[in-house]
């Protein structure tokens, strides 16, 4: 099973994948909890 690969939170192991992002040319699964935090930030990838 796939787990979250949030580039800003390395230790997240959630398997509740909400979407995928392209980060530095690599497709990464993101869980719903991490996505809600990422969406509120002013991060650029």
């Amino acid at each position: 099973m796939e787990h979250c690969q949030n580039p800003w939170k390395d230790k997240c192991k959630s398997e509740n994948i909400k979407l995928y992002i392209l980060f530095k040319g690599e497709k990464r699964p993101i869980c719903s909890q991490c996505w809600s935090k990422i969406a509120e930030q002013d991060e650029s990838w």
Side-chain angles (χ1 to χ4, degrees), residues 5 7 16 23-24 30 33 43:
Q5 294 180 18
N16 183 19
F23 181 80
K24 296 185 180 180
I30 304 295
Q33 183 179 9
E43 293 290 339

Side-chain angles (χ1 to χ4, degrees), residues 8-19:
W8 298 282
K9 185 180 175 188
D10 294 335
K11 296 179 182 171
C12 183
K13 299 297 180 194
S14 174
E15 295 177 346
N16 183 19
I17 304 304
K18 174 102 174 167
L19 52 83

Side-chain angles (χ1 to χ4, degrees), residues 34-43:
C34 284
W35 176 244
S36 63
K37 292 177 184 175
I38 291 170
E40 293 174 4
Q41 294 178 357
D42 190 24
E43 293 290 339

